Amino acid sequence: LAGILSSSGEVCRTRGNLNNHIGLPLVLLELSRSCRFCVVEMAMRGLGEIAQLCEIAAPTGGIITNIGVAHYERLGSKENIARAKGELAQSLPHGGFLLLNSEDEWSSFIGRLTSAEVIYYGMGKKAQIRAEKVQFAPWGSSFMLVSDRVSGPLKLPLPGKHNLYNCLAAVGAAVQLGLGLEEIQQGLNQINLTKMRLEHLKGIKGTTIINDAYNANPDSMKASLRVLSNFLGNRKIAVLGDMLELGEIAVKEHIEVGREAVYLGIDYLITVGELAEHTAQGAVDAGLSEKNVFCASNNGQAAERLKKIVVPGDVILVKGSRAVGMEEIVNALRDAED
């Protein structure tokens, strides 16, 4: 959203992960009279946190992308996660707007919590901001934007179906703020993601690294695996770490990620951490040969294994929860020239 809006004026935006009760005020303190837009991320690890951030930031518009299972351990149910994120909806003023994913089962519940205008985005007919005639490619996607205010062809230079949904949410907000199709495309052309989010890097021995080590939860893990599966290259190697803060559903969700990796045609799986061993087991149960699975107890072991097995043309996805620090693996595999 910040990338799109930057085509129409100066934008103050969240830097890195400055998104909690300390980081968000630091971002807001950078506001100046020359800023036309302010785009901030609001962190949520428990009930009441987003409500507090909304008191500080006083947002006039909001986006809630989905209700997943991140922070399940702290909140105990998807309903509580929806309530926690719904605090943003409750905080928006009459005359404001809220973008919701038309294909998320909790969106109608959240939509009833706000007095702001609710706009749904997605690919189905229910969505007021809609993508039609979608074509996916390793570099990103192209689609026809359909809405009441702005319609026409757009290109998104970020890979993955999940990024198309993120794009539609941002486009919907931009349309509400008065931007036209040309300004939106100009902004999309200049997008820069936060580091360690689907970064493409040169690796040793002529390999390609997809550095997605910023963080991980079951939904984002599966989305990144889909990006890897669509990448052009030799073998597809997934290096997956523990997903934390999942509580009682942790084992089940790690197993599901392993199964998803096999379903998507991943050739080789390396896991890091005790929880991620269940990811390995899920992959083996789904049919991946045990000789193509390696469980590492730390990042160093994983990096050494990779150095032994990679060959030119391999594509390596590296992803895990922030606390696992899997950028250490990326740094160990980086091509010296890069």
Side-chain angles (χ1 to χ4, degrees):
L1 176 57
I4 292 172
L5 296 178
S6 65
S7 68
S8 186
E10 188 175 331
V11 181
C12 177
R13 59 172 291 181
T14 297
R15 290 183 289 104
N17 63 346
L18 294 178
N19 57 11
N20 63 9
H21 62 290
I22 297 170
L24 181 135
L26 291 174
V27 174
L28 295 179
L29 286 167
E30 295 178 357
L31 278 168
S32 67
R33 292 186 183 278
S34 60
C35 290
R36 184 177 177 196
F37 306 105
C38 182
V39 182
V40 293
E41 179 184 16
M42 293 187 169
M44 185 283 294
R45 299 181 74 190
L47 291 164
E49 293 188 7
I50 287 181
Q52 181 189 24
L53 297 177
C54 286
E55 285 184 22
I56 297 168
T60 52
I63 295 172
I64 299 174
T65 54
N66 59 26
I67 304 302
V69 292
H71 312 307
Y72 192 100
E73 182 177 36
R74 289 171 175 267
L75 286 147
S77 69
K78 288 191 80 169
E79 181 177 350
N80 277 344
I81 294 171
R83 290 185 184 282
K85 292 192 176 184
E87 291 166 8
L88 172 57
Q90 292 172 306
S91 300
L92 294 172
H94 180 75
F97 63 87
L98 174 65
L99 273 294
L100 295 173
N101 186 336
S102 66
E103 292 152 52
D104 189 283
E105 61 179 337
W106 291 97
S107 287
S108 58
F109 166 78
I110 292 173
R112 292 193 292 271
L113 299 177
T114 187
S115 60
E117 180 185 0
V118 177
I119 302 119
Y120 290 98
Y121 67 89
M123 296 192 201
K125 294 298 181 185
K126 180 184 175 182
Q128 295 137 288
I129 302 289
R130 193 165 63 251
E132 296 183 354
K133 300 178 181 177
V134 180
Q135 292 186 310
F136 291 104
W139 55 264
S141 58
S142 60
F143 62 96
M144 184 66 66
L145 172 68
V146 178
S147 77
D148 290 341
R149 298 191 191 183
V150 177
S151 295
L154 287 174
K155 289 186 177 181
L156 171 67
L158 297 176
K161 187 176 182 180
H162 65 295
N163 272 325
L164 176 56
Y165 279 89
N166 290 338
C167 174
L168 288 171
V171 166
V175 168
Q176 286 295 115
L177 293 168
L179 273 71
L181 191 71
E182 188 174 330
E183 290 174 302
I184 291 169
Q185 184 61 71
Q186 183 182 337
L188 289 174
N189 292 342
Q190 301 172 41
I191 286 178
N192 289 310
L193 285 183
T194 305
K195 284 193 176 297
M196 299 193 292
R197 282 182 167 163
L198 293 177
E199 268 188 303
H200 294 176
L201 304 169
K202 290 180 182 178
I204 58 171
K205 300 182 184 178
T207 59
T208 298
I209 304 168
I210 303 174
N211 178 10
D212 205 28
Y214 183 88
N215 212 342
N217 61 54
D219 293 326
S220 69
M221 196 73 95
K222 292 172 185 176
S224 296
L225 284 168
R226 285 193 289 272
V227 171
L228 174 63
S229 71
N230 290 325
F231 216 94
L232 299 177
N234 184 23
R235 297 179 303 172
K236 313 292 174 64
I237 300 174
V239 187
L240 308 180
D242 289 345
M243 298 180 292
L244 305 177
E245 297 186 13
L246 294 176
E248 63 187 31
I249 64 171
V251 171
K252 169 181 166 290
E253 293 295 340
H254 280 82
I255 289 171
E256 281 299 312
V257 166
R259 292 182 178 277
E260 184 76 3
V262 177
Y263 171 75
L264 292 169
I266 303 309
D267 299 300
Y268 203 106
L269 173 65
I270 293 176
T271 66
V272 181
E274 290 184 17
L275 281 172
E277 289 179 12
H278 297 291
T279 304
Q281 189 57 54
V284 171
D285 291 346
L288 188 61
S289 171
E290 288 191 30
K291 66 182 177 62
N292 286 3
V293 178
F294 178 77
C295 295
S297 59
N298 56 58
N299 293 330
Q301 280 186 7
E304 289 307 308
R305 182 71 172 190
L306 283 160
K307 288 176 182 178
K308 292 176 183 176
I309 67 165
V310 296
V311 297
D314 284 350
V315 184
I316 308 158
L317 168 69
V318 182
K319 187 170 180 66
S321 278
R322 183 84 300 276
V324 186
M326 294 187 70
E327 62 271 18
E328 293 174 1
I329 299 171
V330 174
N331 292 335
L333 297 176
R334 289 281 291 273
D335 183 271
E337 292 180 10
D338 194 33

